[in-house]
Amino acid sequence: MYLADSRGTKATVVPDSRPGRRSAAVPPTVLALGAVSLITDVSSEMVTAVLPLYVVTALGLSPLGFGLLDGINNGVGALVRLAGGHLADRGGRRHKVVAGLGYGLSAVCKPLLLLAHTLPVISAVLAVDRTGKGLRTAPRDAMISLATEPEHRGRAFGVHRAMDTTGALLGPLVAFAVLRATVDGYDAVFAVSGCVAVLGVLVLVLFVSGRITPTVPQPSDQERPLLREALGLLRGPELRRLTVCASLLGLTTVSDSFLYLLLQREGDLPAHLFPLLPLGTAAFFLLLAVPLGALADRVSRRRLFLAGHGVLLLGYGLVLSPWHGVPAVIAVLVLHGTFYAATDGVLAAATAGVVPARHQGAGQALVGTGQALARFACSLAFGAAWSLWGGRTALTVTAAALAAAAVVSAFVLRATDESSATTDEVSA
């Protein structure tokens, strides 16, 4: 097989042929990281479920102000992801240290919300929390890539994302139960969330290996990767095309909040059922993450990633269609969950296949940051378009842009597949 080096050229890597060596499709490291993500997502989604209501009703922040605050914090997390990936690679593949720092920062922020009663303070706490998330994402995905055989990476990322999504499902339910059972509901949610986050850090420390040996042998190189080498990864045509396509499609991916709001309005859904919409997406994501991850290992991961955006386009079409009511809402949620199952972990697995082991953290960060910043830009543009033209027109324009982006990405990714096939034939 071939792996791209930091200059984009391909180097031959001889597979490990030691007799008797057989790695599990989903290694214990992946399961341990999945458990960490599950626990951490319970903690995070507890706060996410109550935070909008808390800052708007208890602190008096306007919905527009909260949207801007949330957008800025998401942008901070995306930028910090680059630093997290590079720092993990610089540590001699000690990705656990950087990931642990990210999980630890987020755990500290949960109880600090008990002391945050003004907008500047709560903004600072949320910024630190997003910084923690940005730091841990790329090292975590790098550990999954390094611990898993290349032919099983789609399945491994699917299992991890399924466990992560389980936490996303449980978090709002736990927050709801805490609010119902306590008098000082918000403070109780923040306190319980902090305890759960600490548990996630403990699982990381106790059950995740500090140094992971890549399943694909790499040339011996004791030098630490330099920042310019990490940024130079984009000179490699396969990673550059993948990053461009992820960013281009991200520019036309409406944020979940906007989509749920449109779905509720266009589908004539009762307002009291609105909080169940994210749970619907998460449920179908959970059901499909593993089978679609396994499918990605048998077919082209890049094509499945593109097909996932085609499914999202169908979801946009259903929202805009005259079909209303609960069945239409469920159909859109099925498509939305399928979109995430076909793109989230699949993109990480595709990235891992074109990045050398010593740069796994930086490679995952480059693609993830490009996609996250593009989606942030889409949220700002979609919000402005909604204000000017209305939500239905804004979604129509976005759907047309997504269709165009999908066509362009299909040509770009096809060129990548043909380039890889040509290289393999010449080398053979």
Side-chain angles (χ1 to χ4, degrees), residues 117-136:
H117 300 297
T118 63
L119 180 58
V121 176
I122 199 169
S123 299
V125 172
L126 292 177
V128 175
D129 178 70
R130 296 296 184 178
T131 298
K133 182 176 182 180
L135 281 175
R136 69 181 183 251

Side-chain angles (χ1 to χ4, degrees), residues 38 51 63 138 165 167 218 237 241 275 284 287 294 297 345 370 373 375 393:
L38 188 158
L51 191 62
T165 306
Q218 299 293 306
R241 288 167 181 162
F284 291 110
L287 290 174
D297 290 331
L373 290 178
R375 289 181 175 179
T393 302

